[in-house]
């Protein structure tokens, strides 16, 4: 049985690019627990809080429940559920899962394969991360689910993985003249830019293209905050001549972000409503479809009002 292929084909609810990482997150969590205790089961009532936290942190902005993947992952052949009454899931209702002592763990054949081939775990984890999350979140996601990051993030590429366009970074950084589109940071060591990255507006893992219309040049800090939904890109009237090439795009800052230090206020909160810096004239700007996808699928809640000054 090809476990990588089965992992790549997890059945997920999809509509108009809506993110549904519920099953991948549960499977990552289960693999982390398997790595720590290969024989242990995951009683729903005991892990519900952990799974809910994962969905809140790495799932879509709208409210959701870990009961959904706990029940439905069984149909993909990688997961099994038992209750106090015997084999089988009682359904996706939270009360049923709690009340029947529902306990899940990796399917027996998958557990056996992981024991026979220790490297398989890291390959499955890498595939799940590549298919469902941007690279900026891979390391911290491994830590969040209790996986050892190094083994998980190494290994050969799967044939199920799309090939990235190596020119993406250079095209995007050139379009934005090697400056962060949010803060203007432009650090270099000699001739080499340092701390500048090509961020995907619509995540590459979820079908975003490797081109300027789905790219932003961001510093490392703002790239991470952009991928975590703290920052976003909206559309509004430019407030300065600097916004002309950006076509009226402005920076969104989530109201859910809280920071009281001068650094948090200066580097995050003060960005609210500011126009994007760049791209240079003649370069493509962020496409509305990609901008709207990020706002609906990644950005958290409502945006803060523009700051004065």
């Amino acid at each position: 049985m090809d476990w990588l292929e089965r992992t790549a084909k997890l059945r997920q609810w999809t509509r108009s690019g809506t993110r549904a990482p519920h099953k991948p997150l549960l499977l990552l969590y289960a693999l982390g627990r398997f790595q720590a205790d290969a024989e242990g089961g995951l009683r729903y009532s005991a892990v519900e809080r952990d799974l809910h936290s994962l969905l809140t942190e790495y799932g879509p902005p709208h409210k959701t429940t870990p009961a959904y993947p706990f029940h439905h992952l069984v149909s993909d052949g990688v997961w099994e559920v038992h209750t106090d009454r015997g084999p089988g899931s009682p359904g996706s209702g939270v009360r049923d899962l709690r009340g029947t002592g529902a306990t899940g763990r990796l399917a027996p054949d998958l557990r056996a394969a992981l024991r026979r081939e220790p490297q398989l775990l890291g390959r499955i984890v890498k595939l799940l991360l590549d298919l469902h999350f941007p690279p900026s979140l891979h390391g911290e996601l491994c830590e969040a689910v209790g996986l050892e990051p190094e083994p998980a993030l190494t290994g050969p590429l799967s044939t199920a993985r799309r090939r990235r366009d190596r020119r993406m970074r250079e095209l995007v950084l050139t379009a934005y003249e090697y400056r962060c589109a949010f803060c203007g940071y432009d650090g270099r060591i000699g001739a080499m830019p340092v701390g500048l990255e090509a961020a995907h507006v619509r995540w590459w893992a979820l079908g975003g293209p490797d081109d300027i219309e789905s790219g932003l040049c961001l510093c490392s800090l703002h790239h991470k905050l952009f991928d975590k939904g703290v920052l976003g890109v909206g559309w509004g009237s430019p407030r300065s001549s600097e916004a002309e090439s950006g076509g009226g795009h402005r920076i969104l800052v989530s109201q859910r972000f809280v920071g009281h230090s001068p650094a948090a206020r200066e580097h995050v909160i003060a960005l609210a409503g500011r126009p994007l810096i760049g791209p240079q004239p003649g370069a493509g700007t962020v496409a509305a479809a990609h901008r709207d996808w990020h706002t609906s699928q990644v950005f958290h809640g409502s945006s803060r009002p523009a700051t004065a000054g």
Side-chain angles (χ1 to χ4, degrees):
M1 183 176 297
D2 190 336
W3 292 105
L4 292 178
E5 182 178 357
R6 181 162 288 190
T7 299
K9 294 181 178 179
L10 293 179
R11 282 171 283 190
Q12 296 172 270
W13 184 86
T14 57
R15 186 181 68 184
S16 302
T18 300
R19 290 178 59 215
H22 308 68
K23 288 182 178 180
L25 284 170
L26 174 57
L27 187 50
L28 285 168
Y29 183 82
L31 290 166
R33 294 294 291 266
F34 177 87
Q35 193 177 63
D37 178 9
E39 301 299 328
L42 306 179
R43 193 177 182 91
Y44 181 79
S45 58
V47 301
E48 181 180 11
R49 180 175 295 181
D50 284 352
L51 296 176
H52 187 270
S53 295
L54 284 173
L55 282 170
T56 300
E57 187 77 6
Y58 300 102
H62 56 78
K63 292 183 179 180
T64 186
T65 170
Y68 169 84
F70 203 92
H71 167 71
H72 287 287
L73 188 60
V74 172
S75 65
D76 293 283
V78 298
W79 178 252
E80 66 175 5
V81 175
H82 291 255
T83 69
D84 296 337
R85 300 192 294 262
S89 172
S92 59
V94 172
R95 290 184 180 179
D96 292 334
L97 290 168
R98 292 173 182 166
T100 60
T103 300
R105 62 177 181 170
L106 299 176
D109 288 347
L110 177 53
R111 298 200 306 271
L114 291 170
R115 292 189 184 95
R116 287 193 308 269
E117 188 183 348
Q119 292 183 336
L120 178 60
L121 186 146
R123 294 168 66 193
I124 292 175
V125 169
K126 182 172 177 60
L127 180 61
L128 287 167
L129 293 172
D130 285 344
L131 291 178
H132 302 284
F133 303 96
S136 66
L137 302 183
H138 289 185
E140 68 174 69
L141 240 175
C142 284
E143 294 180 11
V145 298
L147 284 161
E148 296 292 334
E150 290 305 320
L153 299 181
T154 58
L157 294 177
S158 165
T159 55
R161 186 185 179 195
R162 289 168 56 212
R163 299 290 177 178
R164 291 182 178 272
D165 188 339
R166 295 180 180 273
R167 300 170 299 171
M168 165 78 170
R169 181 176 185 274
E170 184 64 26
L171 289 172
V172 171
L173 267 60
T174 299
Y176 285 85
E177 300 180 287
Y178 294 86
R179 294 184 299 173
C180 174
F182 287 176
C183 69
Y185 169 82
D186 60 355
R188 294 173 179 264
I189 294 180
M192 297 298 295
V194 59
L196 285 173
E197 301 164 357
H200 280 79
V201 179
R202 180 174 183 137
W203 291 356
W204 180 88
L206 295 180
D210 276 332
D211 61 34
I212 294 174
E213 289 191 345
S214 185
L216 286 172
C217 177
L218 297 177
C219 66
S220 299
L221 170 65
H222 291 138
H223 187 179
K224 173 59 76 68
L225 296 179
F226 187 66
D227 284 347
K228 292 296 289 284
V230 172
L231 299 175
V233 176
W235 183 263
S237 300
R239 299 197 310 166
S240 71
S241 59
E242 199 170 39
E244 291 177 3
S245 60
H249 285 113
R250 59 188 177 84
I251 303 169
L252 305 180
V253 178
S254 173
Q255 288 184 343
R256 298 181 186 176
F257 175 82
V258 176
H260 301 291
S261 67
R265 291 196 296 270
E266 178 183 354
H267 298 301
V268 183
I269 296 173
L271 297 177
R274 288 186 184 177
L276 259 60
I277 301 172
Q280 60 178 288
T285 61
V286 175
H290 302 321
R291 180 190 72 218
D292 294 344
W293 181 90
H294 186 276
T295 301
S296 66
Q297 299 302 314
V298 180
F299 187 73
H300 283 283
S302 302
S303 58
R304 288 173 173 264
T307 56

